Amino acid sequence: MGMCLSRSSGPVKKRQSKRLTNQSAAAVNGGGSNRWSRNRSSKRDDSIIQERALAAAILLQQQMQNGGGGGAVPFDRSASLRYPNSNSKKNPPLPRSSSSRARSLTDPLLQPHQLVNQEVKVDDLETNHFVLVHGGGFGAWCWYKTIALLEEAGFKVTAVDLTGSGIHSFDTNSIASLSQYVQPLTDFLEKLADGEKVILVGHDFGGACISFAMELHSLKVSKAVFVAAAMLTSGQSALDMFSQKTDSNDLMRQSQIFIYANGNDKPPTAIDLDKSLLRDLLFNHSPAKDVALASVSMRPIPFSPVLEKLCLTDSKYGSVRRFYIETTEDNAIPIALQQNLISNNPPEQVFHLKGADHSPFFSKPQGLHRILVDISRIPST
């Protein structure tokens, strides 16, 4: 069903990545803090981030319309470290970075100045504008914690609702193509000023969506970040990706509810997810309040875009620097499948988010934030 976006260019070539290994980071709160005081303040800190993030969610639409964002904020040293490995072989593994740090497992609040290098200012970066693209069934609402953290750190953030998602009013069952589904994103990129670039962040099926957008608007994308996402090769569809799953796809199959808006004798028009299985499938390490938010906010996933095969070229899609964030406790796109995607279409660098379920913006918001900031700081090649 897919359409080639550029007929004159050849298929995407695989890139070789430099070898780096996982490394646990040091504690970021300084030597004066002890474990007892951090644990005691965990609940209070969690409340603070929930309040701030909730306010950001309420103001999301105004921010999207007014091009929100804050002023530059100085940063402290990041604890997300990457070390080279001298044991290089013919086919070295991809560079990886661990998000682990000595702190509470509840991912308590850390201030932006505790997360990143104090000497690096947002205004000195190649771009300080993140564009967040949700996965299938989600909407811009799912990024509310990430929006709050990035904006507090001085970044400009835009979270889009794809067609028929979030508060976008279009009927999901009427979406006939990937281009139609991704149109809010491509329209946004098209309206950027000449020379303006953004960092695209795609989650889940949003990975296929940002790949589509990268092919159309490669000159407007500085970097692309795939978060537990469908990082597909040319000629592959999201359905092809999920067909690679074996024993681990039982929960996904049980969760799927096909919708036949055009009649049972016609192909499905959308896929819904069984609300009783959402926690186990998507939110197995997420707070209960976020699971409740998702259960009343998620919408069906349009079926036609999932079937559509991407046509990606080396000269366009392949020219954008790509990064992947693995989620180790993911039941929707298990870590083995994520690593298979990485192996088939190697990005520049891979980050390893320990303890994260399929929705790290809920389960590990601080870790996700820190990695995104780290990626924004990687200099141009």
Side-chain angles (χ1 to χ4, degrees):
M1 293 184 59
M3 295 179 62
C4 269
L5 300 172
S6 175
R7 298 182 181 176
S8 59
S9 302
V12 177
K13 300 175 185 176
K14 293 185 180 179
R15 301 188 205 176
Q16 194 67 20
S17 302
K18 57 186 177 181
R19 179 187 180 103
L20 297 170
T21 58
N22 290 335
Q23 181 69 28
S24 295
V28 297
N29 286 328
S33 300
N34 57 53
R35 183 177 301 175
W36 181 83
S37 63
R38 284 198 306 271
N39 289 342
R40 188 180 180 192
S41 63
S42 174
K43 290 185 179 178
R44 175 176 58 82
D45 289 341
D46 190 55
S47 283
I48 295 172
I49 190 174
Q50 291 291 343
E51 290 174 5
R52 290 175 181 170
L54 227 12
I58 294 172
L59 294 174
L60 176 60
Q61 294 308 313
Q62 291 93 323
Q63 291 164 350
M64 290 170 62
Q65 293 171 1
N66 299 329
V73 174
F75 297 133
D76 271 340
R77 181 168 61 91
S78 168
S80 184
L81 305 177
R82 295 170 293 282
Y83 296 94
N85 189 325
S86 59
N87 299 323
S88 179
K89 296 182 180 179
K90 185 175 181 182
N91 294 312
L94 291 162
R96 297 174 186 270
S97 173
S98 174
S99 70
S100 298
R101 53 197 181 279
R103 58 172 179 77
S104 168
L105 293 177
T106 58
D107 202 49
L109 176 68
L110 298 175
Q111 297 300 325
H113 72 274
Q114 294 177 284
L115 295 171
V116 287
N117 196 318
Q118 190 170 15
E119 298 177 359
V120 177
K121 294 187 173 146
V122 170
D123 288 343
D124 295 334
L125 301 175
E126 180 184 12
T127 179
N128 65 358
H129 190 173
F130 281 94
V131 177
L132 309 178
V133 182
H134 61 81
F138 291 86
W141 52 267
C142 73
W143 297 105
Y144 77 95
K145 294 180 182 179
T146 302
I147 292 168
L149 289 167
L150 287 173
E151 289 191 339
E152 281 191 42
F155 289 91
K156 181 177 181 178
V157 187
T158 301
V160 300
D161 276 320
L162 299 177
T163 305
S165 304
I167 63 172
H168 194 285
S169 60
F170 197 83
D171 180 11
T172 304
N173 293 295
S174 300
I175 299 173
S177 67
L178 184 59
S179 62
Q180 184 182 9
Y181 182 57
V182 182
Q183 188 172 349
L185 173 61
T186 54
D187 284 351
F188 173 82
L189 293 174
E190 190 172 345
K191 293 174 184 175
L192 290 176
D194 291 342
E196 184 178 357
K197 291 191 173 186
V198 299
I199 299 174
L200 286 182
V201 181
H203 169 248
D204 184 77
F205 185 50
C209 298
I210 66 171
S211 297
F212 183 94
M214 289 156 63
E215 179 69 20
L216 283 179
H217 299 290
S218 58
L219 296 179
K220 297 187 176 183
V221 183
S222 168
K223 299 180 179 85
V225 185
F226 294 76
V227 183
M231 189 170 65
L232 308 176
T233 57
S234 186
Q236 191 178 30
S237 70
L239 188 64
D240 294 333
M241 176 195 75
F242 282 107
S243 69
Q244 298 175 27
K245 297 171 68 176
T246 54
D247 295 341
S248 59
N249 66 357
D250 287 342
L251 185 57
M252 176 66 79
R253 281 205 193 108
Q254 294 172 26
S255 303
Q256 292 174 346
I257 302 171
F258 289 92
I259 300 172
Y260 296 84
N262 297 328
N264 292 337
D265 58 335
K266 302 288 176 59
T269 53
I271 308 169
D272 207 352
L273 296 175
D274 186 337
K275 295 295 189 290
S276 68
L277 297 176
L278 282 182
R279 176 183 285 279
D280 291 338
L281 180 66
L282 305 175
F283 311 115
N284 43 302
H285 286 279
S286 296
K289 61 183 72 176
D290 292 322
V291 181
L293 171 66
S295 68
V296 298
S297 303
M298 292 190 72
R299 294 176 63 180
I301 306 162
F303 192 61
S304 290
V306 175
L307 296 176
E308 189 163 334
K309 296 182 184 296
L310 294 176
C311 186
L312 307 172
T313 61
D314 190 58
S315 61
K316 295 181 179 178
Y317 165 86
S319 68
V320 180
R321 302 174 70 186
R322 288 179 292 114
F323 302 84
Y324 199 98
I325 301 177
E326 294 178 342
T327 46
T328 61
E329 305 299 322
D330 196 322
N331 288 338
I333 304 181
I335 188 64
L337 178 54
Q338 294 179 46
Q339 292 172 349
N340 189 44
L341 295 171
I342 291 165
S343 175
N344 291 336
N345 190 16
E348 180 176 324
Q349 189 168 336
V350 175
F351 292 80
H352 196 70
L353 193 50
K354 290 183 179 178
D357 57 23
H358 187 61
S359 306
F361 36 75
F362 290 158
S363 60
K364 290 291 177 181
Q366 295 284 348
L368 176 60
H369 167 74
R370 186 173 56 186
I371 291 175
L372 292 177
V373 173
D374 279 349
I375 291 172
S376 75
R377 294 170 52 214
I378 297 175
S380 301
T381 53

